[in-house]
Amino acid sequence: MIALRGVTKRFGDEVVLAGFDLDLDPGALTAVMGPNGSGKTTLGRLLLGLERPDAGTIVGLEGRRRAAVFQEDRLCEQLTAVGNVRLVLDRTVPTSVVIDELRRVGLDDESLDKPVRELSGGQRRRVAIVRALIAPAELIILDEPFTGLDVEAKSAVMAHVRERCAGRTTVLITHDRAEAEWFGARVVDLTRSVGAEPSGPDRHG
Amino acid sequence: MTTSTTAAEAATGSGWRKVARPLLVLGFWLGVWQVATVAVHQDLLLVSPRAVLVRLTELVVTGDFWSTVWYSFARIVAGFLLAAVAGALGAALASASRVVDALATPLVAAIRSTPVVSFIILVLMWADSSRLATIISFTMVVPVIYTNVLDGIRHRDRSLLEVSTVFGVPLLRRLSAIDVPAVLPFFIAACKIGIGLAWKSGIAAEVIGLPRGSIGERLYQAKIFLSTADLFAWTVVIIALSFAVERLVLAALARMQARLADGAAS
């Protein structure tokens, strides 16, 4: 079980999270919602170990392998789609597995051989998603993962995400309530935590 | 058909321009040199391009010429290569340790501002003149490589470094996919400056320290014997060597860059 207890995070004078409590259900997908500036991405970064809380504790992260789709694609521009995905994998994973995964989210053979800087925004997004889903992680953070995908691609990719995240603790950060409902996820709404409401937002969900 | 013909013509045209343009530029400056020679009309002050060419052809057929070239080439290139390695390693250490950075910054600034002759005289007190060119070219190039590589390390994409942290990318793989591609353009820029600097400072050191059998010694003899043709001929040799080394090093680095771009991590 991953749990946040009384977590406070400030950036300068701005308090982004204050006395925040949250329990993540093991093996389940939790959706985190809220307006801009409510601390959704900061929460994701705390769970990824990229930020430290100014106060409070986060338990259950030790030794847990993590993966993420960030708000930006964050790909190595000079590498191909396959190269970007293989970067985070054990050498023993065959390239054919990576290629199959990329094809399943709609990348054609031609786009597999190109450096990702030559791919479209939607194709790049799918590479970033496959990289997170294929990584051997026990905690997956998906921060607005479907941004930039057209409607058709989005539904196919969402189905793929649901399949690959099954049984793994996943946090979906989104603006879109319909996305959260589609996944049948427990929703944690950060709206009321803006301005440091000490009660845990998971109680609002 | 029309398209391919046009493309072929364009390719031929661009190939022709690639060869013709530098030749025309070279021709122009040789012309200016020739006109200046006629105007000055004193071989002691300014020899003609033809006289230099004649002297060069006399020199290159002697064994002494090649042993002199090798003597200076080996020492100056060794100094440059050692500086490239030491500068890059120093920058990597400084980026990892604030103490190293704090200690190295004033040292690098001091080396940059110190006249090369001060170092040459100091080295001559400590070491024998056969090592002079290597030590001086090393000393002059290290700060250039160090500063540029450190700049490159500090300009790495932080968001990609976070990706490697989150996914636990192994160090060597991170180096080849994230760090080296980010730092390499800075290193290449430093090498472009550093190679010229190595030759200039190395030869200056030889002219002062006069190691036996070096290009610097030949330049000094040209001065003593008032042989302007020799001075110009050896200067042309130095320029050609510096140019050749620069081409070789940059070609090797471009190849490395292309290999990384091809997806070394895949």
Side-chain angles (χ1 to χ4, degrees):
Chain A
M1 164 78 86
I2 296 168
L4 286 80
R5 292 287 174 266
V7 167
T8 296
K9 184 66 193 173
R10 295 185 194 89
F11 293 103
D13 292 336
E14 189 188 356
V15 179
V16 182
L17 293 170
F20 184 79
D21 297 332
L22 173 68
D23 291 328
L24 288 180
D25 300 331
L29 190 146
T30 304
V32 174
M33 299 193 63
N36 288 339
S38 59
K40 301 188 300 294
T41 295
T42 301
L43 174 60
R45 292 177 61 81
L46 285 163
L47 289 167
L48 289 170
L50 296 173
E51 303 286 352
R52 284 167 177 270
D54 296 312
T57 54
I58 305 175
V59 294
L61 288 179
E62 307 77 26
R64 206 178 281 263
R65 288 176 297 181
R66 295 161 229 189
V69 174
F70 296 87
Q71 275 188 357
E72 321 80 31
D73 300 321
R74 300 197 182 191
L75 300 172
C76 292
E77 299 294 331
Q78 80 280 10
L79 298 182
T80 61
V82 175
N84 268 283
V85 177
R86 284 197 60 86
L87 191 64
V88 304
L89 293 179
D90 193 276
R91 290 283 189 216
T92 55
V93 177
T95 303
S96 58
V97 171
V98 176
I99 291 172
D100 283 349
E101 286 293 298
L102 289 165
R103 280 182 182 148
R104 282 198 59 190
V105 294
L107 260 81
D108 53 33
D109 287 356
E110 195 191 342
S111 56
L112 293 177
D113 293 332
K114 289 179 183 169
V116 292
R117 63 170 168 261
E118 292 176 21
L119 302 185
S120 70
Q123 287 172 322
R124 292 166 57 89
R125 200 64 186 150
R126 281 176 270 189
V127 175
I129 290 170
V130 166
R131 180 178 65 184
L133 299 183
I134 202 172
E138 291 101 26
L139 171 63
I140 305 172
I141 308 294
L142 307 170
D143 192 353
E144 305 283 2
F146 309 115
T147 309
L149 297 177
D150 59 47
V151 178
E152 198 182 328
K154 184 176 170 180
S155 56
V157 172
M158 281 171 75
H160 191 65
V161 168
R162 181 158 64 183
E163 183 187 324
R164 287 285 177 257
C165 290
R168 297 201 280 179
T169 307
T170 306
V171 175
L172 171 68
I173 297 168
T174 179
H175 279 99
D176 187 350
R177 186 166 287 276
E179 272 179 18
E181 286 169 359
W182 188 88
F183 279 101
R186 178 170 74 102
V187 175
V188 173
D189 194 338
L190 293 191
T191 307
R192 288 171 60 188
S193 77
V194 178
E197 178 108 357
S199 62
D202 52 337
R203 291 170 208 161
H204 308 142
Chain B
M1 182 73 181
T2 314
T3 314
S4 64
T5 310
T6 313
E9 279 169 359
T12 314
S14 107
W16 164 243
R17 266 198 297 275
K18 221 172 174 179
V19 177
R21 189 177 289 177
L23 286 176
L24 283 171
V25 171
L26 182 67
F28 171 79
W29 287 113
L30 284 174
V32 170
W33 181 1
Q34 181 63 39
V35 169
T37 311
V38 172
V40 173
H41 200 58
Q42 276 195 59
D43 276 359
L44 185 64
L45 295 178
L46 190 63
V47 286
S48 70
R50 190 175 168 280
V52 172
L53 187 66
V54 168
R55 183 63 190 132
L56 258 178
T57 51
E58 288 167 4
L59 285 172
V60 293
V61 293
T62 63
D64 189 43
F65 170 84
W66 293 105
S67 65
T68 303
V69 164
W70 173 247
Y71 184 97
S72 295
F73 175 88
R75 282 159 180 77
I76 290 169
V77 170
F80 166 76
L81 292 176
L82 287 170
V85 174
L89 284 177
L93 281 174
S95 74
S97 157
R98 283 185 186 182
V99 176
V100 175
D101 186 28
L103 292 173
T105 302
L107 179 68
V108 168
I111 295 173
R112 273 179 180 278
S113 329
T114 307
V116 64
V117 285
S118 303
F119 281 116
I120 295 169
I121 293 164
L122 185 68
V123 172
L124 280 172
M125 291 176 182
W126 284 79
D128 97 58
S129 65
S130 67
R131 293 184 197 152
L132 182 65
T134 304
I135 297 171
I136 292 303
S137 51
F138 172 86
T139 311
M140 291 296 107
V141 175
V142 159
V144 178
I145 303 281
Y146 173 88
T147 311
N148 274 266
V149 171
L150 191 55
D151 245 14
I153 292 173
R154 287 178 176 158
H155 279 88
R156 285 172 305 167
D157 188 337
R158 299 235 166 262
S159 69
L160 286 180
L161 295 174
E162 284 188 353
V163 168
S164 80
T165 304
V166 166
F167 286 92
V169 176
L171 179 64
L172 280 179
R173 223 185 287 175
R174 193 195 87 184
L175 282 171
S176 77
I178 298 172
D179 299 276
V180 175
V183 176
L184 206 51
F186 290 82
F187 183 68
I188 290 172
C191 285
K192 274 185 190 170
I193 302 166
I195 290 166
L197 197 58
W199 278 97
K200 276 190 254 186
S201 58
I203 295 293
E206 286 181 350
V207 170
I208 294 171
L210 299 176
R212 190 179 295 272
S214 67
I215 293 178
E217 188 194 32
R218 296 287 176 274
L219 286 175
Y220 186 77
Q221 284 169 348
K223 180 207 157 197
I224 296 292
F225 298 119
L226 301 175
S227 172
T228 315
D230 270 37
L231 172 67
F232 274 69
W234 280 109
T235 305
V236 168
V237 170
I238 294 163
I239 293 169
L241 286 170
S242 177
F243 183 77
V245 172
E246 184 183 308
R247 291 286 114 189
L248 273 173
V249 170
L250 295 184
L253 291 171
R255 213 169 145 182
M256 186 177 170
Q257 206 167 19
R259 199 180 289 177
L260 290 169
D262 281 347
S266 62

